[in-house]
Amino acid sequence: MTNWFESADSLVLPAKHLVDGGWVDALGDEIFSVVAPRDGSVLGQIALGNERDVDRAVATARAAFEDRRWSGLRPAQRGAVLRRWAELIQENAADLALTISLEMGKPVREALGVELRAVANCIRWYGEIADKRPDESPAAGDDVVALITREPAGVVAAVVPWNFPLTMTAWKLGPSLVAGNSVVLKPAEQTPYSALKLAELALQAGLPDGVLNVVPGRGHIVGKALGLHHDVDIVTFTGSPEVGRAFLRYSGESNGKRVWPELGGKSASIILPDADLEKAARMTAWGSFYNQGEMCSASSRMVVHRDVVDEVLEHARAQAREMAPADPLDQDAPLGSLVSEAHLERVLGHVRNAVADGAEIVEGSTERAVVDAHPGGSYVAPTILTGVTPGMRIEQQEVFGPVLSVITVDSEEEAIRVANGTEYGLAASVWTRDLGAAHRVSRAVKAGIVWVNCFEEGDMSVPFGGVKGSGFGRDKSAHAIDKFTDLKTTWIEL
Ligand code: NDP
């Protein structure tokens, strides 16, 4: 078994940007220290990009697109490169997983077993579907041929968060690259190294120079410059609602580029009295705490019928106690550290607000959790709040930490009202043995994804995304490829 502590000591981290197929110095001169949140130590330094770095990367991507070195390949040839890339991701999975774990604090076991598996699977899936989506030629008449073709849009900017840093990146890169676009990727400040390593493997797999460029930098500088750039055709974004709306504004202020926002969530888990209560309670609690709660689809609101709330709460508390945070390099850690001290303060601030608003803490605390070896680490214990009522700040705002709010209701109708009572609409789950209730509730809940008697089921062939304030982009599946293509109609008179 890998000794992750030894591997961490010898980990190599890239220090430059990846543009036009090679490592280049940043044009910006701000040096950023990437901090490992497991213990607060400096993991490494990296030069941050600025507007000039963005101009250089976009010009490179544009040149690569225009000379058709990638877009002009046959789909099967593009697919072969992606499949080779997926193999290289698998071969380098341990290194990538360790890099993620050190950057953002998730348990290395999860990074390897869940995230890297998903990343390789995603890239392979798009590699496999590359040549399996024929264009159309409707019957137009004996004297004319009509063609409906999907054309790559051009230059795509992908701006991604740190919580599933490579999964989110793969969800953007797989469909945009397989469609023939060129890409400029801006990773989150906290997770530049894993993104650079992933892109380097794409080059090794045969992706032509300039087709994928990585510009680490601050969101309000590099992200904004991409959003405002007149030569970027599409922005694909996962992150907070505020920044998602900023990208829509940037588009309106520049060239009207397409923006695909995947934003936050405040997902409800509705537990009706006839459900398998232990499974419902444990899965909801797990879904709220998993990945330190830093998950857009986290089941952060447990909406439970009054008749069964006591029993449900007991099971949820047992789940919380089994998920105490530990050093993410510890092979058995169920949870790691939050991404940063600043984020820890935000999460604990939400808990303190909840208490001030009248909620009661039955598991967890308003203070950080102490993991013995690392007093400088950013750890928060799974926290359960009862007495939460609709409209409270904790019930409305996305926490993005391991905090579960329990809201008691008296009927199915009230549960639906509560579930729909936030600005978000990413996901929801329904727990019941009554097929009719499952159908009624899942139809009535306004969410992009509804899980019935399960949580976080997913497959590359099935889209992921939300409605309302959670945005309208869809990641994964063949539908995602359409986001990065234009339909072209060609009439040929015979
Ligand atoms: P942010 O919106 O703060 O950041 C996301 C990305 O946008 C980062 O790369 C960030 O750069 C960049 N950015 C920040 N400010 C700007 C700006 N003014 N202009 C352009 N780009 C900017 O989100 P978080 O990193 O805090 O990620 C958590 C959020 O992501 C949560 O709301 C979560 O729900 C959501 N999310 C949604 C998912 C979905 O599929 N729906 C999946 C996962 C997360 P920098 O790092 O430099 O700040």
Side-chain angles (χ1 to χ4, degrees):
M1 196 195 297
T2 311
N3 181 329
W4 295 109
F5 295 92
E6 276 177 24
S7 305
D9 289 338
S10 53
L11 191 69
V12 177
L13 299 170
K16 299 192 177 196
H17 295 193
L18 202 56
V19 178
D20 206 9
W23 297 108
V24 298
D25 288 320
L27 300 171
D29 50 17
E30 186 186 354
I31 302 295
F32 182 72
S33 294
V34 180
V35 171
R38 65 184 268 270
D39 60 3
S41 65
V42 173
L43 189 58
Q45 296 191 315
I46 191 152
L48 296 183
N50 64 15
E51 292 83 354
R52 288 191 298 136
D53 291 280
V54 168
D55 284 342
R56 175 173 68 179
V58 172
T60 301
R62 173 60 61 191
F65 183 72
E66 294 301 334
D67 72 14
R68 298 177 56 75
R69 68 187 80 161
W70 177 245
S71 61
L73 295 183
R74 291 178 179 216
Q77 293 173 304
R78 291 200 295 266
V81 172
L82 264 65
R83 294 197 302 279
R84 175 69 189 130
W85 186 17
E87 285 170 9
L88 290 175
I89 293 168
Q90 265 175 320
E91 286 166 21
N92 290 274
D95 180 85
L96 290 165
L98 180 58
T99 306
I100 292 177
S101 178
L102 291 169
E103 285 175 326
M104 56 70 68
K106 77 168 65 188
V108 66
R109 189 195 65 245
E110 298 293 335
L112 183 61
V114 178
E115 177 140 17
L116 263 301
R117 189 182 294 225
V119 171
N121 190 31
C122 172
I123 298 300
R124 185 185 315 106
W125 195 88
Y126 283 107
E128 285 168 353
I129 202 174
D131 58 346
K132 298 180 183 59
R133 305 187 75 222
D135 285 331
E136 299 164 44
S137 177
D142 282 351
D143 54 350
V144 72
V145 170
L147 297 176
I148 307 169
T149 51
R150 293 189 189 86
E151 306 288 329
V155 175
V156 173
V159 180
V160 294
W162 42 261
N163 63 331
F164 284 89
L166 292 191
T167 310
M168 297 298 113
T169 302
W171 286 5
K172 311 301 186 197
L173 297 185
S176 57
L177 288 175
V178 81
N181 297 284
S182 297
V183 180
V184 178
L185 168 68
K186 191 206 96 61
E189 273 164 39
Q190 296 87 345
T191 52
Y193 298 127
S194 50
L196 288 162
K197 288 182 174 189
L198 186 76
E200 187 186 20
L201 295 178
L203 298 179
Q204 286 174 20
L207 194 71
D209 294 352
V211 174
L212 173 58
N213 308 279
V214 187
V215 182
R218 295 195 186 278
H220 67 276
I221 297 173
V222 170
K224 183 175 178 181
L226 287 166
L228 286 170
H229 207 291
H230 282 264
D231 214 17
V232 168
D233 298 291
I234 294 180
V235 167
T236 177
F237 170 75
T238 292
S240 60
E242 297 72 30
V243 178
R245 287 176 200 151
F247 273 111
L248 293 166
R249 284 198 301 278
Y250 302 152
S251 167
E253 289 165 16
S254 54
N255 59 344
K257 60 179 68 63
R258 243 170 296 172
V259 176
W260 295 115
E262 284 290 343
L263 309 176
K266 193 73 189 175
S267 301
S269 176
I270 298 175
I271 304 179
L272 298 178
D274 68 329
D276 176 341
L277 297 180
E278 178 169 4
K279 182 179 176 197
R282 280 188 168 270
M283 289 292 282
T284 302
W286 179 87
S288 184
F289 306 140
Y290 180 69
N291 206 51
Q292 303 72 242
E294 296 163 329
M295 195 159 69
C296 53
S297 53
S299 47
S300 54
R301 294 184 301 150
M302 179 189 266
V303 181
V304 55
H305 198 282
R306 190 177 304 280
D307 291 351
V308 292
V309 68
D310 291 341
E311 184 178 342
V312 166
L313 194 55
E314 279 317 303
H315 293 304
R317 293 183 65 171
Q319 184 68 37
R321 288 193 288 263
E322 289 169 18
M323 294 179 79
D327 188 325
L329 299 191
D330 181 339
Q331 182 65 25
D332 299 321
L335 293 190
S337 69
L338 296 193
V339 68
S340 66
E341 275 298 285
H343 190 55
L344 174 136
E345 284 307 324
R346 269 196 298 275
V347 169
L348 293 180
H350 282 290
V351 178
R352 291 177 191 133
N353 286 345
V355 173
D357 291 348
E360 188 189 342
I361 298 176
V362 294
E363 292 291 334
S365 157
T366 55
E367 303 303 321
R368 72 173 62 233
V370 177
V371 169
D372 289 347
H374 303 309
S378 308
Y379 298 91
V380 170
T383 300
I384 300 182
L385 296 161
T386 57
V388 175
T389 54
M392 274 187 186
R393 286 177 286 182
I394 193 69
E395 199 266 336
Q396 293 286 313
Q397 297 167 353
E398 184 178 39
V399 174
F400 227 56
V403 180
L404 174 64
S405 296
V406 180
I407 304 145
T408 308
V409 294
D410 290 299
S411 66
E412 187 183 304
E413 295 71 28
E414 188 184 356
I416 293 166
R417 260 200 317 280
V418 170
N420 288 339
T422 75
E423 66 168 299
Y424 295 104
L426 182 55
S429 39
V430 186
W431 301 88
T432 176
R433 290 189 170 95
D434 176 344
L435 191 56
H439 189 60
R440 277 193 304 278
V441 177
S442 55
R443 292 291 301 270
V445 168
K446 293 189 178 65
I449 307 157
V450 181
W451 289 291
V452 177
N453 293 328
C454 59
F455 178 74
E456 281 295 326
E457 272 297 326
D459 188 89
M460 272 313 300
S461 57
V462 179
F464 182 99
V467 297
K468 294 167 60 186
S470 296
F472 49 81
R474 288 289 179 279
D475 284 317
K476 303 170 79 177
S477 85
H479 296 284
I481 303 175
D482 293 334
K483 298 192 307 188
F484 302 105
T485 56
D486 294 315
L487 281 184
K488 180 182 224 172
T489 307
T490 307
W491 287 100
I492 305 172
E493 197 173 296
L494 301 176

